[in-house]
């Protein structure tokens, strides 16, 4: 697709001075991301210019009125208008249309005009890979009243051109077939979701599967473009369409929760589970819920106790057990004690066994593998020191003395727990039998299996119905056709040239037969 760069300027004294060609790096970046606006100042610094790369320009409008004397006594009346052409350029085109009429007076001229405007107007005006668009100025000289410049407001003109180019590009995309980058299947363009930010496209079935999996698993931060090295977020409108309203509500709730978890001053109310903003003074550890008017300590989630140490959970459980002896509501108190005991066990386990992400404060634990782990917030961490190594990656383990890629004690223990691969005894027996036959007669012909491409020998006693020793596929030794597709007996009957039993063929005999065929 050919892209054209439109340069926009305000009050440019000499606009031709800005029509220099772009360097190759700038052109490549524009083609990769069409529609992106790049701003820069002019050489004098007094004017602001913006460049935008478009794939389609708005139409050049030719309005024609046929008088009664056309075509015998005079040409038709016409006007030319365009957003991206100046008064001078439109006037030059009008003069050229008059010349075309003078070359063949008295003849129908409309189709000649249209053909010339479509094929020759760009070269006539000297336009190649970029066009300058600017607002009208009182100092502009109108060469021909029939040329109407539509660029009255620069913002409106640019918006119109961008919208038109996007619509035409989407139309062309829908009218052609494309390959999905996930399943590598080819579908019409209407069967794809196309992301405007990055320009990549994914078929509807793959997009639906991708979104449903991440929404179900809660990994909504990974709902990005599946193209390699592209981190563009999938638009919420696409997610809503493929997962439905119920799952989309879950997506919105999870996305909000993930965003709040990544904010260091956000906590959750232990009473109503509402969002609470901590006080700016972190030493107070105070959270006030405006929904239920509950003031609580952000460390222990209990009633706020300024200047006092948080109550130990073991002491709280002991106090509740003492209270249980004379409490009438025994069942409710028992459940409360059991819940606190479970919370204590979980807290002790997390302290002793788990690590904490420095970015989102989420707890995580590594079962096996290397010490480079990825948190649910997307940060890469060192499991030993819990430092953020997203930017430096595995080089952290080379630079840090106390951190290693693998733990020394888990290398053998982890891998020894894995079951050993099972050996297919039948396959080994068949392979050894083939090697024995080749050792007895090294000239025996070998053919490749049409499925796994491993070499096999002719069957015993010249049997041409061969079963591959590796994948157990049955095929004809003579024509290499897989016999599972047709009955075996039918394949070896006339009019087929293949016979089920022939003499054992050696490589030397086959070579002689091929030479005889070439000679004849």
């Amino acid at each position: 697709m050919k892209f054209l760069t439109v340069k926009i300027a305000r009050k440019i004294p000499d606009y031709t001075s800005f029509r220099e060609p772009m360097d190759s790096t700038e052109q490549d970046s524009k083609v990769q991301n069409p529609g992106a606006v790049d701003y820069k100042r002019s050489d004098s610094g007094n004017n602001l210019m913006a460049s935008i790369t478009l794939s389609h320009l708005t139409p050049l409008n030719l309005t024609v009125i046929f008088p009664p004397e056309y075509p015998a006594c005079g040409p038709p009346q016409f006007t030319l208008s365009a957003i991206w052409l100046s008064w001078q350029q439109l006037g030059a085109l009008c003069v050229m249309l008059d010349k075309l009429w003078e070359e063949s007076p008295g003849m129908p001229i409309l189709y000649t005009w249209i053909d010339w405007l479509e094929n020759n107007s760009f070269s006539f005006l000297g336009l190649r890979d970029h066009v300058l668009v600017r607002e009208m100025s009182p100092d502009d000289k109108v060469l021909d009243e029939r040329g109407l410049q539509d660029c009255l407001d620069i913002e409106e003109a640019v918006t119109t051109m961008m919208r038109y180019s996007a619509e035409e590009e989407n139309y062309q995309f829908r009218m052609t077939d494309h390959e999905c980058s996930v399943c590598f299947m080819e579908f019409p363009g209407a069967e794809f979701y196309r992301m405007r930010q990055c320009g990549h496209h994914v078929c509807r079935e793959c997009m639906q599967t991708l979104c449903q999996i991440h929404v179900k698993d809660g990994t909504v931060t990974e709902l990005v473009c599946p193209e390699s090295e592209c981190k563009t977020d999938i638009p919420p409108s696409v997610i809503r369409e493929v997962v439905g309203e119920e799952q989309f509500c879950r997506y919105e709730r999870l996305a909000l929760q993930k965003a709040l978890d990544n904010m260091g001053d956000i906590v959750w109310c232990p009473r109503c589970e509402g969002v609470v903003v901590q006080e700016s003074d972190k030493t107070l550890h105070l959270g006030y819920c405006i929904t239920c008017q509950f003031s609580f300590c952000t460390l222990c989630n209990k009633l706020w106790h300024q200047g006092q140490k948080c109550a130990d959970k073991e002491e709280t459980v002991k106090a509740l057990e003492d209270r249980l002896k004379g409490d009438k509501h025994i069942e409710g108190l028992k459940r409360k004690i059991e819940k606190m005991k479970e919370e204590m066990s979980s807290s002790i386990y997390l302290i002793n066994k788990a690590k904490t992400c420095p970015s989102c404060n989420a707890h995580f634990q590594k079962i096996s593998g290397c010490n480079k782990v990825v948190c649910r917030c997307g940060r890469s961490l060192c499991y030993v020191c819990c430092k953020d190594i997203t930017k430096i990656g595995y080089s952290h383990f080379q630079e840090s003395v106390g951190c290693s890629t693998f733990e020394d004690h888990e290398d053998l223990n982890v891998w020894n727990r894995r079951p050993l691969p099972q050996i297919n005894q039948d396959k080994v027996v068949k392979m050894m039998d083939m090697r024995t036959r080749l050792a007895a007669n090294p000239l025996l012909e070998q053919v490749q299996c049409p499925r796994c491409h491993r070499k096999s020998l002719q069957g015993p006693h010249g049997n041409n119905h061969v079963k591959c020793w590796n994948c157990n596929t049955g095929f004809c030794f003579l024509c290499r056709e897989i016999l599972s597709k047709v009955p075996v007996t039918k394949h070896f009957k006339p009019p087929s040239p293949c016979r089920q039993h022939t003499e054992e063929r050696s490589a030397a005999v086959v070579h002689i037969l091929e030479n005889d065929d070439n000679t004849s």
Side-chain angles (χ1 to χ4, degrees):
M1 180 182 295
K2 181 179 180 181
F3 291 92
L4 183 140
T5 300
V6 180
K7 295 192 174 183
I8 307 116
R10 281 184 179 274
K11 298 179 181 179
I12 304 298
D14 182 12
Y15 73 91
T16 56
S17 62
F18 294 99
R19 296 178 59 182
E20 75 280 5
M22 295 184 296
D23 59 355
S24 59
T25 305
E26 185 179 354
Q27 282 187 340
D28 293 341
S29 62
K30 291 297 179 182
V31 172
Q32 292 174 3
N33 190 12
V37 182
D38 178 37
Y39 294 95
K40 72 173 183 178
R41 289 196 173 273
S42 61
D43 296 337
S44 62
N46 298 324
N47 302 294
L48 182 67
M49 290 193 61
S51 299
I52 182 171
T53 303
L54 303 176
S55 58
H56 298 82
L57 284 174
T58 53
L60 172 63
N61 299 313
L62 173 65
T63 305
V64 179
I65 299 177
F66 295 104
E69 62 271 13
Y70 172 80
C73 300
Q77 302 174 8
F78 68 91
T79 59
L80 275 177
S81 61
I83 296 177
W84 41 275
L85 291 179
S86 64
W87 285 102
Q88 293 83 356
Q89 293 170 327
L90 290 169
L93 292 178
C94 293
V95 172
M96 188 61 197
L97 295 184
D98 291 336
K99 290 182 179 180
L100 292 176
W101 164 259
E102 294 173 359
E103 292 176 358
S104 53
M107 301 294 293
I109 195 63
L110 181 60
Y111 292 106
T112 304
W113 282 353
I114 295 174
D115 180 72
W116 187 88
L117 289 173
E118 287 182 348
N119 300 309
N120 301 303
S121 57
F122 261 60
S123 59
F124 175 76
L125 296 175
L127 304 177
R128 294 184 180 180
D129 59 348
H130 55 271
V131 178
L132 182 79
V133 178
R134 63 171 184 166
E135 291 178 338
M136 294 175 56
S137 173
D139 299 332
D140 290 339
K141 295 182 180 180
V142 180
L143 298 181
D144 198 310
E145 295 291 343
R146 296 171 297 180
L148 306 177
Q149 187 185 22
D150 290 340
C151 185
L152 303 178
D153 181 78
I154 192 69
E155 285 83 3
E156 183 179 355
V158 172
T159 303
T160 301
M161 296 175 69
M162 292 175 64
R163 185 182 296 114
Y164 178 84
S165 178
E167 291 175 354
E168 286 295 316
E169 192 173 343
N170 288 333
Y171 176 78
Q172 296 293 336
F173 181 84
R174 292 194 300 269
M175 293 296 105
T176 54
D177 293 341
H178 304 274
E179 184 183 84
C180 176
S181 59
V182 178
C183 64
F184 301 105
M185 298 292 290
E186 193 171 278
F187 302 101
E191 298 297 323
F192 284 86
Y193 286 105
R194 190 164 181 262
M195 283 162 281
R196 184 178 300 177
Q197 293 84 350
C198 60
H200 298 139
H201 51 271
V202 182
C203 74
R204 293 180 177 271
E205 185 176 353
C206 292
M207 180 65 76
Q208 183 178 15
T209 304
L210 175 70
C211 294
Q212 287 178 348
I213 289 175
H214 285 302
V215 173
K216 181 180 178 181
D217 295 344
T219 54
V220 293
T221 54
E222 298 180 18
L223 278 172
V224 295
C225 174
E227 194 75 23
S228 60
E229 299 182 0
C230 181
K231 300 300 181 181
T232 303
D233 293 330
I234 298 176
S237 57
V238 175
I239 300 174
R240 180 195 294 269
E241 183 176 346
V242 298
V243 302
E245 287 297 330
E246 182 178 353
Q247 290 297 313
F248 184 73
C249 292
R250 171 178 167 81
Y251 158 77
E252 287 186 317
R253 185 176 69 255
L254 291 173
L256 176 61
Q257 183 177 347
K258 300 286 187 184
L260 293 175
D261 289 342
N262 290 332
M263 301 173 64
D265 57 346
I266 295 296
V267 292
W268 300 91
C269 175
R271 179 175 291 178
C272 68
E273 298 183 354
V275 179
V276 177
V277 180
Q278 292 189 71
E279 292 296 327
S280 57
D281 188 356
K282 300 296 183 180
T283 59
L284 295 176
H285 304 297
L286 171 62
Y288 176 73
C289 180
I290 61 175
T291 304
C292 62
Q293 284 80 44
F294 180 54
S295 299
F296 60 95
C297 173
T298 57
L299 296 178
C300 63
N301 287 336
K302 301 298 180 182
L303 187 65
W304 189 51
H305 44 83
Q306 184 179 9
Q308 298 179 6
K309 186 179 179 181
C310 295
D312 188 76
K313 290 188 177 181
E314 294 181 358
E315 297 177 358
T316 305
V317 171
K318 185 178 180 181
L320 290 174
E321 288 177 344
D322 294 339
R323 180 184 167 191
L324 181 62
K325 298 176 182 179
D327 200 308
K328 298 179 181 180
H329 306 284
I330 297 177
E331 293 299 328
L333 197 55
K334 278 185 177 180
R335 287 195 297 269
K336 189 173 183 180
I337 293 174
E338 291 297 327
K339 183 178 180 181
M340 291 197 68
K341 286 183 177 180
E342 291 178 0
E343 291 178 354
M344 286 174 53
S345 300
S346 299
S347 300
I348 293 173
Y349 183 86
L350 290 175
I351 292 172
N352 297 330
K353 302 290 185 180
K355 303 284 187 176
T356 304
C357 174
S359 177
C360 65
N361 296 323
H363 297 287
F364 60 91
Q365 183 181 9
K366 179 174 72 73
I367 299 175
S368 62
C370 70
N371 286 325
K372 180 178 178 291
V373 296
V374 180
C375 180
R376 65 184 183 182
C377 65
R379 300 282 184 177
S380 296
L381 308 173
C382 171
Y383 192 75
V384 179
C385 62
C386 290
K387 288 185 178 179
D388 188 350
I389 58 172
T390 305
K391 295 182 178 180
I392 59 178
Y394 283 101
S395 60
H396 166 77
F397 302 106
Q398 300 174 358
E399 299 170 357
S400 301
V401 178
C403 303
S404 59
T405 308
F406 287 92
E407 298 291 342
D408 297 334
H409 66 274
E410 69 175 3
D411 292 342
L412 294 176
N413 294 333
V414 170
W415 296 108
N416 289 338
R417 289 200 302 266
R418 300 186 178 181
L420 294 175
Q422 298 295 326
I423 299 176
N424 192 328
Q425 298 292 341
D426 294 337
K427 184 184 295 187
V428 174
V429 171
K430 292 179 180 178
M431 182 178 63
M432 295 303 298
D433 180 65
M434 186 181 71
R435 290 184 177 180
T436 303
R437 293 179 59 191
L438 282 174
N441 187 1
L443 296 179
L444 287 177
E445 183 188 3
Q446 302 179 62
V447 296
Q448 285 186 339
C449 171
R451 179 162 292 168
C452 70
H453 304 290
R454 295 295 182 91
K455 290 187 177 182
S456 299
L457 293 174
Q458 192 177 15
H461 310 292
N463 189 0
N464 292 319
H465 180 201
V466 180
K467 281 199 172 183
C468 176
W469 64 270
N470 181 56
C471 63
N472 208 31
T473 300
F475 64 96
C476 177
F477 185 80
L478 301 176
C479 65
R480 283 53 159 182
E481 181 180 355
I482 298 177
L483 299 183
S484 60
K485 301 178 182 179
V486 295
V488 176
T489 55
K490 184 177 179 181
H491 176 78
F492 292 108
K493 288 183 178 180
S496 173
C498 301
R499 295 293 177 264
Q500 185 165 357
H501 293 277
T502 58
E503 294 183 0
E504 287 189 347
R505 302 175 64 180
S506 64
V509 173
V510 173
H511 183 69
I512 293 172
L513 291 174
E514 290 178 352
N515 289 339
D516 291 342
D517 293 339
N518 295 333
T519 304
S520 59

